[in-house]
Amino acid sequence: MKGICILGATGSIGVSTLDVAARHAQLYKVVALTANNNIDLLYEQCLEHHPEYVVVVDENSAQLFKEKLESSSISDIEVLSGAKSLEYVATLDNVDSVMAAIVGAAGLLPSLAAAKAGKTVLLANKEALVMSGDIFMQAVAESGAQLLPIDSEHNAIFQCMPAGYKSGMQAKQARRILLTASGGPFRQMPLDQMPHVTPAQAVAHPNWDMGRKISVDSATMMNKGLEMIEACILFAMIPDQIQVVIHSQSVIHSMVDYVDGTVLAQMGNPDMRIPIAYSMAWPERFDSGVEPLNIFDVRRMDFEEPNLERFPCLRLAYEAINKGGIMPTVLNAANEIAVDSFLNEQIRFTDIPVIIERCMEKFEVKPANTLDIILEADQQARLVSKQIIAELNY
Ligand code: NAD
Ligand code: MG
C-alpha cells in the first residue's frame, strides 16, 4: 500500500488523480489533500477519501473548513493552513508519492520539497520545473527521488524512452523529440480577429478539459513553449532537438526520433487519467478508467509546423531558454501576470505576448543557481509586468 499526497487536489489534475486513486484503493491510501480555497469540493473529496491531513492555503477558508468539519463524521482530519504546510504534507513519512498539481509558481517550493525528500514525484506543475530546472534535477539526483512526468506530452516521451530510462538522463540514441500540440482554439482564426478573443473563447479548448490558466496558455501556445523548456530539462536535450508539431486531433501525445530512423509515438484518447494512471502504476500498468482508443473513429492524423507569427509566445519561450539563467523564470512570471489580467478582462488576448516580451527586455541574464535568485527574479518580473500593464494605453 502506497501513501499519496495530492497538491492541488481541487484542480483538474487533482480531480482526475482522485478518480484513478479510487479505482485502486487497495494500492493507494490518500494521506493528504491540499487546496487554495475551494473548500466545498475539498469537503466532498474528504468525505470520499478520508485523508489524514488537508491543507487549505488561504487562512480564512481554512477556518471555515475547520468549522465545517467539526460537526461532521470526518472531524478527525487534521486541517493546516499557509503555504509552508504544503511542504510539510509533501514530505510526511507515510507519503510515498506526491502529485504536484498546483498551478503556477506557487507549486515550486512544495514540489521541490518532495523531490529533496526522495519521494516519487508525479510532476504536473510544469511552471516549477521551468523556473528551477537545474536545481530541481539536482535535488532529484541527490535524493534518489523518482521523477515521473504527468504532462501528457512528457509522459508520452518518457514512455517512448529506452527501458530503464530515468528522468534527467541523456538517451544518446534519441536524436530528437517531436512535441505535439493541438494548436488550441485559434489555430485557424483570421489574425485580425485575435485581439477580440474573449476569456470564455480562450478557455474552451477543443480537445482537453483543463484549468483556466493552462487553457489560456494552450490558446497562446505558451503552454507548448513552457513544455519545450520542460522537455529540455527532463530529457537533457537542447532546444534545437525539440520540434513542435501541430497535430490537431491530439491522438499522438508526442514522439521520440531515434538515430536509426525509428520514430516511437504514444497514442491514446485525450484524457489526463492515462498519464496519471501510468505514473501511479509505474513500472507496471493498471486501469485508468479511460475508454479504449477507437482507431477507426480517428480516421486521419494531420501534422503541421507552428506559425510563430500567430503564436509569438512560442518564439519567446525559445528566446528565454536560449538566453538561459533566470530568463525562463521571467518568461513564466510575466505570463502568469498577463494571463491573469486577460482573464480579468484588463488586457486583450494579443497583449499577452507584448507584455512578456517587454518584460523580458528589462532583465539581464544571470545564472539561476540558487533558489533565492530564482524567487527574486520571479517577484521582480511580476512587478515589472504589472507596471507594463498599467502603462498600456487603450
Ligand atoms: P487548476 O487551476 O484546475 O487547479 C489548480 C490547483 O492548484 C487547485 O487545486 C488550486 O486550489 C491550487 N492552487 C492554485 N493556486 C494556489 C496557490 N497559490 N497555493 C496553493 N494551491 C494553489 O489547474 P490544472 O489544470 O489542474 O493544472 C495544474 C498543473 O498541472 C498546472 O501546472 C498545469 O500546467 C499542469 N497540467 C495540467 C493539465 C490538465 O489537463 N489540466 C495537463 C498538463 C499539465
Ligand atoms: Mg501538455
Side-chain angles (χ1 to χ4, degrees):
M1 190 87 166
K2 288 184 189 168
I4 188 164
C5 161
I6 305 177
L7 302 171
T10 53
S12 152
I13 294 287
V15 167
S16 294
T17 305
L18 283 170
D19 181 285
V20 175
R23 292 168 197 276
H24 301 283
Q26 76 292 2
L27 291 175
Y28 273 96
K29 155 101 185 83
V30 176
V31 176
L33 297 177
T34 86
N36 195 28
N37 55 19
N38 185 351
I39 57 173
D40 293 336
L41 177 56
L42 186 65
Y43 185 77
E44 296 298 317
Q45 294 178 332
C46 286
L47 284 178
E48 187 179 346
H49 298 277
H50 208 139
E52 290 168 29
Y53 296 86
V54 304
V55 178
V56 183
V57 176
D58 179 72
E59 311 267 346
N60 292 333
S61 308
Q63 195 49 43
L64 291 173
F65 191 73
K66 276 184 196 159
E67 287 162 19
K68 212 169 150 102
L69 280 198
E70 263 165 26
S71 53
S72 76
S73 58
I74 47 173
S75 56
D76 56 333
I77 297 176
E78 184 152 351
V79 182
L80 307 169
S81 69
K84 264 281 167 210
S85 302
L86 297 171
E87 293 173 54
Y88 175 72
V89 294
T91 55
L92 287 166
D93 280 345
N94 60 343
V95 164
D96 302 287
S97 299
V98 175
M99 169 55 79
I102 290 174
V103 60
L108 172 57
L109 293 177
S111 307
L112 188 58
K116 283 186 178 156
K119 305 298 186 191
T120 297
V121 182
L122 315 183
L123 187 71
N125 180 210
K126 66 191 90 189
E127 297 91 344
L129 198 64
V130 165
M131 294 170 71
S132 70
D134 289 348
I135 291 178
F136 202 97
M137 296 313 287
Q138 200 181 335
V140 167
E142 282 172 12
S143 70
Q146 185 68 51
L147 180 58
L148 300 170
I150 293 299
D151 217 335
S152 57
E153 297 77 4
H154 306 75
N155 189 273
I157 296 160
F158 188 89
Q159 293 199 43
C160 295
M161 283 295 181
Y165 181 80
K166 197 170 186 295
S167 298
M169 274 168 49
Q170 212 170 36
K172 290 208 173 53
Q173 304 83 0
R175 66 182 162 194
R176 247 180 3 144
I177 283 172
L178 301 169
L179 186 70
T180 55
S182 69
F186 310 131
R187 190 170 52 90
Q188 290 169 322
M189 178 180 269
L191 285 178
D192 61 356
Q193 288 180 21
M194 303 269 278
H196 310 297
V197 157
T198 65
Q201 286 174 304
V203 299
H205 195 278
N207 305 349
W208 297 93
D209 181 11
M210 310 182 286
R212 284 161 67 79
K213 191 260 177 186
I214 184 177
S215 297
V216 176
D217 285 351
S218 298
T220 61
M221 282 195 83
M222 179 55 89
N223 185 47
K224 215 45 57 180
L226 297 174
E227 289 185 1
M228 178 273 297
I229 299 175
E230 183 185 10
C232 290
I233 300 165
L234 283 173
F235 306 113
M237 286 201 173
I238 57 169
D240 281 352
Q241 287 176 289
I242 320 275
Q243 172 67 57
V244 174
V245 180
I246 299 205
H247 161 49
S248 60
Q249 292 90 355
S250 298
V251 172
I252 291 182
H253 299 302
S254 280
M255 302 172 248
V256 178
D257 175 9
Y258 283 91
V259 288
D260 61 359
T262 295
V263 177
L264 295 184
Q266 184 262 3
M267 307 199 294
N269 284 318
D271 187 319
M272 289 306 292
R273 289 177 299 173
I274 295 178
I276 292 168
Y278 173 83
S279 304
M280 286 174 68
W282 184 88
E284 309 284 323
R285 289 184 189 265
F286 61 34
D287 174 36
S288 64
V290 178
E291 289 290 305
L293 178 69
N294 185 334
I295 203 83
F296 301 111
D297 283 346
V298 176
R299 299 169 67 92
R300 57 178 280 181
M301 291 196 269
D302 296 292
F303 305 99
E304 55 184 91
E305 267 189 75
N307 173 345
L308 295 188
E309 192 196 340
R310 178 180 292 275
F311 298 115
C313 285
L314 190 53
R315 169 177 60 78
L316 293 171
Y318 274 100
E319 266 176 48
I321 181 92
N322 283 323
K323 288 191 172 152
I326 58 165
M327 232 12 124
T329 297
V330 172
L331 171 95
N332 179 67
N335 181 56
E336 286 192 29
I337 295 296
V339 169
D340 202 48
S341 304
F342 167 68
L343 286 171
N344 292 322
E345 302 187 51
Q346 291 159 338
I347 61 168
R348 289 177 304 214
F349 183 73
T350 42
D351 290 331
I352 296 173
V354 174
I355 291 157
I356 300 166
E357 185 152 30
R358 288 191 194 162
C359 181
M360 284 168 63
E361 280 163 9
K362 298 221 188 291
F363 285 80
E364 296 281 329
V365 185
K366 45 175 192 184
N369 40 21
T370 72
L371 204 50
D372 283 346
I373 293 175
I374 294 167
L375 295 176
E376 169 70 16
D378 176 67
Q379 286 310 312
Q380 285 302 325
R382 281 167 200 271
L383 292 176
V384 169
S385 306
K386 285 180 186 162
Q387 190 65 40
I388 294 168
I389 290 170
E391 284 163 10
L392 283 179
N393 23 13
Y394 288 107

